[in-house]
């Protein structure tokens, strides 16, 4: 891995790259080769002042933006960092010697910018009414200009830790990078410019501490400063702040971190982790284990394993080469300092390993060095070396080692290894350090939901999630509002009175739908009861006949391509679409078996798959797993992550990409069968290059998938061959594999197989206790959160797969006790394609949709096939309440980062689809029976019908925006199902009203179908829809010889009335379609319902207001 041809070395001030005002530069020398890398511009006092002035000028406009408006800049920067990881790693290696194979800071920095981009709205003030006559509140407001001074050892990580939270809450920033390692910060400045940050918001300078660092520390316009570095410099900054404007200062300084290893510890684990800690980054880490205390009974064994670790795991070499784990010290000064401490160590302790510079190569290399039996008062035990040097001493008792560990002026980090939980907790409390690792050590700091910082001389203040860093960069302002005194009469009117304001609750409502769930809006009657009315018996509320009747008029069985009849439930799109296409079209005149839903006219569903003999199965003895070229795999994976994983989370992105890489490199051994099944399913989704009858691939010219020797179906076959072994493994990877297979097979129109695999995935989840959060104590918090996220993904996917096929869900919270909480996004970041709070918001909507299906569509016994009006109203208002309580950054009118646009759009499509699921039976009934409906009934049905059409129009707007954003996808059935759903609603609206706008909506929907990749389910929908439309007399394209039926209300009524009684099932009779409700109750709507269903005048549903001048054919 080499350096880029051009290395940016200038200062970045007010959105522009400028040279030093004094023309000064300093050299950056590669510490491994001692060759010149770059000449970097040094910031002068004038340059530093200009940077602060630019930040101050930019502050008013930046702070006036909402967090949602600032977020896209941080999101874009995170994306650009990920795109430039290789270059950033090479620059770091060339400037301060960190091996490129050990470079994790790029991904970590990108993750920080991603995280904080969505955390700004979490900061809120408080209110209090505890002082009579006052409404008191606190406001959280940004400081203004914030300075950040970062060290040279892990510059990008510290940069993101300080800058991202400061920016998202409204501060502007001046960052000073270290003169030892300025190149990655300068490269980041180019990415800041590409991300489009407003000028002055984010400035980056580099130079020496006694000039630019001192200016920032003393500057009167800098209101807060965060510094990570040496204790000496930290004290100077603290003094400068006190002498100037008492700016807020946050310091993370040096460390002399102890690790204590007890005799009951896992020695192999302790050796590996403490060994890595002191040698990682050539020992240039502030929280490295520079002191290790081992109990006397296991000391010799520990030393033996420690030697073995250094001999086998440490590889010294050029940091620009892969496989190197130990590079040089950062520069000559650091090299000399470490060698000086080595000589001191030899005088005070016993040298075990190392002890000198490397003589066989040029560069600032130092051998990893171990001393034992060093006196506690030795200089090397008291001072921070900042190199690959560790002192290992022996101890006998807890009291002895606790005193030794705390005998230092530093207190940044400490670690203890023991299996005794009581002892571990005693030490966690007794060790004088800001962070204590139990059975782990640095560079691990725990998880991302705790702050980090030091005791004693290791610093002041803390940084970290979830709120610590955000709070660091916000002032707290208190404000008291004096309230006018209320008169006695008006005050009395504000007091709640028992018996008043209590709304009538209908007994049938309670019987049919149960109690109102917590957090859901409660429907309100239009009139309040009086005290005399409270105890009066309530009248039974009129009820609606089961809306299942509307769908079962064409039967519930569908013949598939295998010759088997498959049941399709009423809540699926399939029977509803069949009603629309058959009941009002030419097929209504054709006598057929009433139990059968008409099959599609295009293709075979499910399609036939190639077969392979068992001896050729991948992974079988003598045959390796097939893998496509790596670039093809990367292309397919990127499609999967953007289009599928954004809304169906199964993997931590870092874990997933590492597993893909390991599969190709073999560095983690042979892959498991379940993992390969998952990968094949993912490749199937990404490939999607079916052969067309014409021999033309549907892929765009130049697509990498066009060169793949295997098609999507071929990858599915490879995955299917692994299914028996996947069942046998029945682990977390098996759950993932079957769920992803379910998504892929559904998109290949294999609905039944998809449903079965989904069921198997959920049953495996039950078997390992995902629904009860049942995990062994040894499972890490990260693994626990991963399992929780997978469970709730299955919860939503179960409904999605089952609903499209009209099958029962396998997860039913009415009968199954689920104790798994929603995952914490502070611990496990959902990834760059999924916004924070997306899953929890989707789960709450999923629960509402399940309630709708259970209340409205569930098949009932004959004597209880009724649904109350209040049930419908309550469900509709609950959906409205969900929409109002949606997190602000997920709302449609908030700017969305490009990587989140698909996930946010899908969430809104799910919402409008659920509205249509609830309201579409009333629209269908209105179209079929409007001429015979009573006036009161028709008003209520028209409101429901208009709500359905409005939801369809809103969905169409979302889908059109997705097309403009290039986020429509054919990799799952979701997008095409949404479009097909809209077409059916607009057909009903069009044939009922003849309004041209609905015909236009049909054409727009059809155009969107054609604009998508013509693969799988999307291809079927795009081909089938125009045929069905032509049958209904709504041709999209006029073909020669095509004669359309002119539909009007009379013809629709005639088609309905002419149906043979024998053709109709009992559920299709006039009696079953009439809704026996008192007319007055339909107009008795409360104010919330009236407001929600009072839509704009453009939504026309009255058949008497048609536009007669439009030729809708």
């Amino acid at each position: 891995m080499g350096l880029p041809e051009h290395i940016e070395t200038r200062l970045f001030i007010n959105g522009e790259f400028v040279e030093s005002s004094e023309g000064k530069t300093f050299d950056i020398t590669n510490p491994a080769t001692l060759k010149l890398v770059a000449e970097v511009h040094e910031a002068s006092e004038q340059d530093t002042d200009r940077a602060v002035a630019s930040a101050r000028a930019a502050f008013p406009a930046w702070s006036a933006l909402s967090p949602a408006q600032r977020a896209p800049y941080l999101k874009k920067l995170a994306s650009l960092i990920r795109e430039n990881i290789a270059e950033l790693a090479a620059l770091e290696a060339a400037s301060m010697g960190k091996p490129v194979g050990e470079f994790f800071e790029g991904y970590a920095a990108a993750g920080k910018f991603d995280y904080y981009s969505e955390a700004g709205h979490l900061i809120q003030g408080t209110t209090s009414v505890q002082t009579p006559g006052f409404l008191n509140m606190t406001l959280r407001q940004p400081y203004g200009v914030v300075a950040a001074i970062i060290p040279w050892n892990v510059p990008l990580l510290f940069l993101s830790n300080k800058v991202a939270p400061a920016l998202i809450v409204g501060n502007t920033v001046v960052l000073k990078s270290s003169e030892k390692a300025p190149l990655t910060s300068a490269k980041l400045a180019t990415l800041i410019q590409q991300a489009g940050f407003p000028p002055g918001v984010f400035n980056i300078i580099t130079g020496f501490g006694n000039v630019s660092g001192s200016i920032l520390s003393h500057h009167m316009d800098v209101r807060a400063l965060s510094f990570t570095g040496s204790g000496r410099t930290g004290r100077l900054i603290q003094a400068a702040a006190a002498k100037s404007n008492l700016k807020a200062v946050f310091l993370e300084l040096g460390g002399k971190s102890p690790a204590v290893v007890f005799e009951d510890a896992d020695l192999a684990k302790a050796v590996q982790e403490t060994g890595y800690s002191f040698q990682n980054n050539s020992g240039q880490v502030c929280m490295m284990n520079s002191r290790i205390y081992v109990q006397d009974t296991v000391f010799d064994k520990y030393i033996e394993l420690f030697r073995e670790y250094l001999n086998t795991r440490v590889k010294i070499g050029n940091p620009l080469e892969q496989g190197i784990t130990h590079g040089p010290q950062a520069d000559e000064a650091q090299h000399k300092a470490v060698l000086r401490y080595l000589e001191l160590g030899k005088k005070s302790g016993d040298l075990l390993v190392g002890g000198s510079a490397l003589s066989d190569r040029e560069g600032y290399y130092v051998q990893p060095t171990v001393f034992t039996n060093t006196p506690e008062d030795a200089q090397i035990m008291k001072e921070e070396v900042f190199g690959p040097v560790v002192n290992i001493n022996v101890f006998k008792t807890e009291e002895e080692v606790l005193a030794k560990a705390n005998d230092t002026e530093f207190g940044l980090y400490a670690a203890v290894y023991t299996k005794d939980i009581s002892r571990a907790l005693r030490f966690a409390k007794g060790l004088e350090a800001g962070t204590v690792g139990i059975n782990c050590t640095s560079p691990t700091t725990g998880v991302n939901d705790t702050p980090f910082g030091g005791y004693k001389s290791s610093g002041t203040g803390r940084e970290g999630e979830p709120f610590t860093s955000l709070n660091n960069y916000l002032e707290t302002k208190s404000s008291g509002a004096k309230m006018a005194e209320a008169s006695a009469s008006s005050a009395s009117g504000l007091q709640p009175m028992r018996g008043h304001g209590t709304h009538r609750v209908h007994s049938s409502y309670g019987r049919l739908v149960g109690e109102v769930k917590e957090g859901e809006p409660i429907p309100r009657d239009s009139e309040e009861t009086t005290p005399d009315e409270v105890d009066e018996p309530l009248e039974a509320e009129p009820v609606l006949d089961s809306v299942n009747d509307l769908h079962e008029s064409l039967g519930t069985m569908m013949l598939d391509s295998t010759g088997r009849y498959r049941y399709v439930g009423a809540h699926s799109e399939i029977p509803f679409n069949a009603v629309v296409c058959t009941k009002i079209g030419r097929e209504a005149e054709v006598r057929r078996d009433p139990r059968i839903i008409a099959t599609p006219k295009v293709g075979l569903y499910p399609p036939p798959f190639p077969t392979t003999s068992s001896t050729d199965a991948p992974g079988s003895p003598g045959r390796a797993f097939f893998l496509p070229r790596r670039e093809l795999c990367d292309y397919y994976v990127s499609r999967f992550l953007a289009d599928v994983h954004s809304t169906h989370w199964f993997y931590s992105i870092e874990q997933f990409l590492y597993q893909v890489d390991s599969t190709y490199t073999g560095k983690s051994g042979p892959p498991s069968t379940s993992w390969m099944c998952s990968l094949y399913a993912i490749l199937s989704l990404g490939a999607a290059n079916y052969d067309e009858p014409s021999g033309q691939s549907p892929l765009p010219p130049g697509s990498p998938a066009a060169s793949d020797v295997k098609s999507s179906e071929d990858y599915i076959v490879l995955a299917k061959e692994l299914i028996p072994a996947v069942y046998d493994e029945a682990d977390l990877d098996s759950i993932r594999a079957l769920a992803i297979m379910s998504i892929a097979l559904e998109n290949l129109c294999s609905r039944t197989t998809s449903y079965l695999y989904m069921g198997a995935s959920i049953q495996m989840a039950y078997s390992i206790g995902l629904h009860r959060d049942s995990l062994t104590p040894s499972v890490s918090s990260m693994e626990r959160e991963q399992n929780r996220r997978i469970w709730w993904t299955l919860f939503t996917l179960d409904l999605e797969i089952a609903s499209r096929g009209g099958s029962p869900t396998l997860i039913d919270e009415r009968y199954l006790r689920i104790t798994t909480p929603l995952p914490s996004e502070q611990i496990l970041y959902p990834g760059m394609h999924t916004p924070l709070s997306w899953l929890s918001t989707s789960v709450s909507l999923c629960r509402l949709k399940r309630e709708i299906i259970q209340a409205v569509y569930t098949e009932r016994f004959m004597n209880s096939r009724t649904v109350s009006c209040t049930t419908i109203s309550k469900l509709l208002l609950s959906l409205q309440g969900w929409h109002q309580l949606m997190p602000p950054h997920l709302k449609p009118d908030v700017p969305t980062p490009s990587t989140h646009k698909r996930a946010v759009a899908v969430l809104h499509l799910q919402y409008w689809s659920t509205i249509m699921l609830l309201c579409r039976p009333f629209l269908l009934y209105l179209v079929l029976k409007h001429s015979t409906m009573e006036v009161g009934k028709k008003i209520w049905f028209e409101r429901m019908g208009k709500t359905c059409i409005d939801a369809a129009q809103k969905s169409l707007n979302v889908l059109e925006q997705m097309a403009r954003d290039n986020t429509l996808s054919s990799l799952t059935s979701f997008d095409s199902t949404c479009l097909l759903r809209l077409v059916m609603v607009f057909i009903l609206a069009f044939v009922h009203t003849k309004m041209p706008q609905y015909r236009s909506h049909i054409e727009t929907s059809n155009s969107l179908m054609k604009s998508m990749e013509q693969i799988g389910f999307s291809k079927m929908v795009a081909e089938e829809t125009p045929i069905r439309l032509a049958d209904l007399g709504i041709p999209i394209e006029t073909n020669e010889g095509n004669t359309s039926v002119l539909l009007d209300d009379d013809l629709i009524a005639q088609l309905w009335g002419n149906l043979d009684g024998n053709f109709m099932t009992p559920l299709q009779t006039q009696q079953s379609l009439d809704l026996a409700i008192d007319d007055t109750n339909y107009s008795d709507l409360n104010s919330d319902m009236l407001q929600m269903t009072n839509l704009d005048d453009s939504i026309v549903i009255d058949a008497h207001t048609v536009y007669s001048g439009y030729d809708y054919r």
Side-chain angles (χ1 to χ4, degrees), residues 44-84:
S44 64
E45 293 184 12
Q46 181 183 348
D47 296 325
T48 308
D49 274 330
R50 277 190 59 215
V52 173
S54 299
R56 183 179 180 183
F59 173 70
W62 181 252
S63 60
L65 299 177
S66 69
Q69 291 171 312
R70 299 181 201 120
Y73 298 104
L74 275 68
K75 279 288 181 187
K76 179 64 174 176
L77 181 58
S79 177
L80 291 169
I81 290 172
R82 291 188 179 94
E83 292 174 11
N84 290 271

Side-chain angles (χ1 to χ4, degrees), residues 509-523 812-815 844 847-852 854-855 871 874-875 877-879 881-882 885:
Y509 170 79
R511 185 183 71 250
L512 290 170
V513 300
E515 296 180 352
V516 176
K517 302 292 189 297
E518 181 179 350
E520 294 180 354
I522 302 176
D812 194 334
E813 289 185 286
R814 295 174 301 174
Y815 310 115
S844 61
R847 282 182 162 137
L848 281 174
K849 187 173 181 180
R850 286 169 180 263
E851 188 175 345
I852 288 170
Q854 290 160 4
T871 298
K874 176 257 182 182
L875 292 169
L877 289 172
S878 295
L879 286 169
W882 176 91
L885 295 174

Side-chain angles (χ1 to χ4, degrees), residues 160 291 514 581 679 754 875 1081:
S160 60
R291 297 181 295 147
C581 292
L679 185 59
S754 168
L875 292 169
N1081 283 78

Side-chain angles (χ1 to χ4, degrees), residues 81 99 113 121 166 184 214 230 263 350 481 527 530 536 547 613 651 691 805 846 889 892 910 926 1088 1112:
I81 290 172
F113 279 106
H121 69 281
T184 50
S214 178
S230 71
E263 60 186 355
D350 299 332
E527 297 181 358
T530 66
E536 290 180 2
V547 291
S613 65
Y651 293 95
D691 293 329
C846 180
H889 65 288
Q910 289 173 342
L926 181 70
D1088 291 331
Y1112 53 88

Side-chain angles (χ1 to χ4, degrees), residues 542-859:
V543 292
L544 304 174
D545 282 352
S546 171
V547 291
N548 280 359
D549 302 352
L550 296 170
H551 295 281
E552 295 185 2
S553 58
L554 291 178
T556 57
M557 302 300 290
M558 183 175 180
L559 187 68
D560 69 12
S561 61
T562 67
R564 296 182 178 91
Y565 287 100
R566 302 291 186 183
Y567 175 84
V568 182
H571 57 288
S572 168
E573 308 289 336
I574 296 171
F576 180 82
N577 297 348
V579 171
V580 174
C581 292
T582 311
K583 190 65 73 176
I584 63 176
R586 295 183 226 178
E587 292 186 20
E589 302 174 1
V590 180
R591 292 177 59 86
R592 58 180 186 78
D593 189 334
R595 298 167 298 176
I596 307 304
I597 296 175
T599 56
K601 297 188 176 185
V602 177
L604 297 174
Y605 306 98
F609 289 100
T611 57
T612 306
S613 65
S614 59
T615 58
D616 294 331
S620 58
R623 183 184 172 198
F625 290 110
F626 171 82
L627 290 172
R629 298 194 317 274
R630 180 60 190 269
E631 59 268 26
L632 280 177
C633 177
D634 291 344
Y635 172 72
Y636 298 155
V637 163
S638 66
R639 297 187 76 193
F640 168 76
L641 292 177
D643 291 9
V644 183
H645 200 265
S646 56
T647 54
H648 301 98
W649 193 99
F650 291 105
Y651 293 95
S652 161
I653 301 300
E654 291 78 7
Q655 172 201 1
F656 175 71
L657 295 179
Y658 176 81
Q659 207 159 350
V660 171
D661 186 64
S662 298
T663 303
Y664 276 83
T665 61
K667 59 185 178 184
S668 297
S672 71
T673 303
S674 294
W675 159 249
M676 287 307 302
C677 184
S678 298
L679 185 59
Y680 284 146
I682 290 167
L683 297 177
S684 168
L685 287 165
N689 56 343
Y690 314 116
D691 293 329
E692 297 289 313
S694 62
Q696 298 292 321
S697 170
L699 294 167
S703 170
S707 63
D708 197 349
V709 297
K710 291 191 179 294
S711 68
S712 180
E713 292 165 323
D714 293 328
Y715 286 116
I716 282 291
V717 171
L718 291 174
K720 279 189 168 184
E721 292 167 349
L722 303 177
I723 291 298
V726 171
Y727 284 153
D728 289 340
E729 290 178 2
D731 57 7
L732 201 62
D733 266 340
S734 304
I735 294 170
R736 293 178 173 121
L738 291 168
I740 298 171
M741 279 286 285
S742 179
I743 296 171
L745 284 162
E746 186 192 38
N747 199 42
L748 286 173
C749 306
S750 294
R751 178 172 54 85
T752 301
T753 311
S754 168
Y755 178 65
L756 294 175
Y757 282 170
M758 189 71 241
S761 179
I762 291 169
Q763 288 170 332
M764 287 182 186
Y766 288 152
S767 73
I768 64 175
L770 290 191
H771 64 302
R772 299 300 298 276
D773 208 27
S774 299
L775 297 169
T776 60
S778 62
V779 170
S780 68
S781 57
M782 188 72 74
E783 291 175 297
R784 183 178 293 276
E785 297 305 324
Q786 171 184 263
N787 289 1
R788 290 171 177 174
R789 184 168 282 276
I790 290 175
W791 167 257
W792 290 111
T793 297
L794 293 177
F795 181 82
T796 56
L797 186 58
D798 172 40
L799 180 65
E800 191 174 317
I801 297 291
S803 294
R804 283 201 279 267
S807 304
T809 56
L810 284 94
I811 302 173
D812 194 334
E813 289 185 286
R814 295 174 301 174
Y815 310 115
L816 178 70
R817 185 184 176 202
I818 297 175
T819 57
T820 300
L822 285 160
S824 167
E825 293 174 328
Q826 309 299 337
I827 297 176
L828 180 60
Y829 183 65
M832 63 179 295
H833 294 102
T834 309
L836 293 177
S837 303
W838 190 94
L839 180 60
S840 58
T841 308
S842 178
V843 167
S844 61
L845 179 61
C846 180
R847 282 182 162 137
L848 281 174
K849 187 173 181 180
R850 286 169 180 263
E851 188 175 345
I852 288 170
I853 293 172
Q854 290 160 4
V856 178
Y857 288 90
T858 303
E859 298 167 2

